[in-house]
């Protein structure tokens, strides 16, 4: 027993000493001016945390069940934030974060928010995070099974349950959708119940092990709607008993499945479930594009209110609440950082939308997160937003490799980093393309390891130009039919050659009668480059791969002397311990 305890990670050692549920009564008498490392761990389980960036400020994370919030609750939050001068961030799990709380008001506001019928419990730390579904659940034209009642029953099981509050090996992100088309993909979740059918019966296929950089895999299980909650309970109990609790960076479900295999973990779930289930049915998922207005099943309309890349002001929330109440509209928060009004009689709202951010998910950024190298929510405005909005291209921007912007589960993804590859150390981004994310087929592939910030727009423009010339209906079909027929190194060199030459040459799918071996693929791609760009100076440097040529051509195009501080200002980071901060 002593050997095992020595191997436990620090957070697990705290849990072994005192469970978060047992710790909870201490919050009422806690001195928030000087919390300890242990306090920091425990407070996360109740939605309270601070970061090394602003150690004297606190953040409160709100659980908005399935993204559904009443106008009254929304107005109350707006009033609190206005009176206390708090910043509001919409999260990628259809919740909210309130930033700028102090040691003087954090406990009072914690109690005020929870008194509204909105829980902050288990929104951070090792818990079941906010369970997400599609924003049009139950009302949209693609809705087959309404999942909100299922989600509420799931919450009844784990919310404020003593042995589950903060006691899981690591967080569990859960998604469930009864829709045949969704605004965004759910395959980045640890656990995903996806609409499926066996014969004429609709239910859910089960997928497990997803995360921001990985696709959840099929567990070969089909559940009827009334079986989901019992299965979910068995899943959580199995993970709590058998999950990894040692090296902190390897405690997600993904690593447990990697360690013991899907089959063994499913056996653990079956032991808890004590019933039988059917093998997976036919996945019912199609690709659809959603505009700012969307007609619902009953003929009424929904309106997407675009946030400022996840940021909203208290005044905006008040206006939305007033409008929703006056027009008997329902308010929902999407996992795309937007607010939706459902049940409108006509396509007319008094809100002016100028940002064009509807299909862009941007992580918290360096203003709020110690891991981020960019102020993502500001820098996202440097993208070609008009084109992105016009074509409904899904963009994900993360401030670090943790991937909170889901950069590998979208059409074009970026990780904001810093680089000195092209001159002075400055902002740059890793770029990903080619994800077939809607049906959970594949994540995005790394196109460029690094592009300087001032050149990102031209690169994204070039990629979108290629899509426009392709004739494909959606960017995702462009990825399937064209981009993913080539090696990612070839595509990188193709983009660079076009940028250098100014060519308007169009990339077409490879016309082959079967799968090519890697060597034949390389020969075809090399010949295509020489045929299309005969005057590009760096192509003769291609030997047996494209890597050296990509490196040299990108340096030629992007190297600079001194950084432009207006375009890419230097990032100032506080030199302080990360303590207990984790995502």
């Amino acid at each position: 027993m002593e050997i095992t305890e020595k191997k436990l990670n620090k957070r697990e050692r705290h849990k072994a000493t005192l469970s978060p549920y047992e710790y909870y009564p201490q919050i009422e008498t806690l001195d928030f001016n000087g919390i300890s490392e242990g306090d920091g761990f425990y407070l996360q389980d109740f939605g309270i945390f601070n970061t090394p960036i602003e150690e004297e400020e606190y953040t409160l994370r709100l659980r908005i069940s399935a993204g559904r919030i009443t106008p009254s609750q929304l107005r109350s939050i707006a009033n609190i934030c206005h009176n206390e001068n708090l910043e509001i961030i919409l999260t990628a799990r259809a919740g909210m974060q309130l930033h700028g709380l102090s040691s003087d008001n954090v406990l009072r506001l914690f109690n005020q928010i929870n008194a509204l019928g909105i829980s902050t419990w288990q929104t951070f730390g090792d818990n079941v995070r906010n369970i997400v579904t599609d924003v049009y659940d139950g009302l949209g034209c693609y809705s087959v099974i309404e999942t909100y009642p299922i989600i509420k029953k799931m919450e009844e099981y784990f919310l404020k349950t003593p042995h589950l509050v903060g006691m899981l090996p690591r967080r569990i992100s859960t998604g469930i959708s009864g829709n045949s088309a969704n605004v965004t993909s759910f395959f980045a979740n640890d656990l995903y119940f996806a609409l499926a059918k066996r014969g004429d019966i609709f239910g859910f296929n089960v997928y497990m092990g997803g995360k921001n950089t990985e696709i959840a895999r099929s567990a070969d299980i089909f559940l009827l709607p009334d079986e989901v909650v019992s299965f979910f309970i068995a899943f959580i109990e199995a993970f709590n008993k058998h999950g990894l609790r040692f090296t902190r960076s390897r405690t997600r479900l993904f690593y447990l499945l990697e360690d013991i295999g899907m089959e063994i973990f499913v056996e653990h779930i079956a032991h808890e479930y004590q019933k039988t289930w059917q093998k997976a049915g036919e996945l019912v998922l199609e690709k659809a594009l959603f505009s700012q207005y969307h007609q619902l099943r009953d003929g009424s309309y929904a309106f997407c209110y675009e946030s400022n890349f996840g940021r909203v002001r208290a005044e905006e929330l008040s206006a939305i609440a007033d409008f929703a109440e006056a027009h008997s509209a329902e308010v929902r928060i999407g996992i795309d950082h937007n607010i939706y009004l459902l049940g409108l009689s006509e396509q007319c709202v008094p809100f002016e939308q100028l940002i064009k951010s509807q299909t862009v998910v941007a992580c918290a950024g360096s203003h709020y997160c110690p891991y981020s190298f960019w102020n993502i929510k500001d820098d996202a405005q440097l993208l070609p937003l008009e084109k992105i909005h016009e074509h409904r291209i899904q963009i994900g921007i993360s401030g670090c490799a943790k991937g909170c912007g889901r950069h590998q589960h979208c059409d074009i993804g970026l990780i904001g980093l810093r680089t000195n590859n092209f001159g002075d150390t400055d902002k740059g981004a890793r770029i990903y393309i080619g994800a077939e994310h809607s049906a959970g087929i594949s994540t995005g592939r790394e196109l460029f390891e690094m592009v300087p910030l001032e050149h990102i727009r031209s690169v994204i423009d070039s990629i979108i130009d290629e899509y426009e010339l392709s004739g494909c209906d959606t960017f995702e079909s462009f990825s399937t039919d064209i981009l993913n027929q080539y090696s990612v190194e070839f595509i990188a060199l193709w983009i660079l050659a076009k940028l250098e030459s100014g060519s308007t040459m169009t990339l077409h799918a490879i016309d082959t009668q079967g799968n090519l071996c890697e060597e034949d693929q390389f020969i075809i791609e090399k010949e295509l480059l020489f045929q299309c760009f005969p005057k590009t100076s760096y192509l003769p440097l291609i030997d047996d791969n494209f890597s050296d040529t990509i490196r040299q051509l990108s340096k030629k195009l992007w190297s600079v002397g001194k950084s432009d501080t207006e375009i890419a200002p230097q990032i100032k980071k506080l030199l302080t311990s990360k303590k207990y901060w984790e995502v």
Side-chain angles (χ1 to χ4, degrees), residues 27 72 107 145 192 231 272 299 318 365 373 470:
I27 291 179
S72 175
L107 180 60
I145 301 171
Y192 173 35
F231 180 91
E272 301 292 333
S318 292
F373 290 98
S470 73

Side-chain angles (χ1 to χ4, degrees), residues 252-266:
R252 288 290 297 274
L253 175 65
F254 172 84
Y255 297 106
L256 177 63
L257 298 181
E258 189 177 67
D259 189 34
I260 67 173
M262 178 74 79
E263 186 177 340
I264 297 298
F265 185 62
V266 167

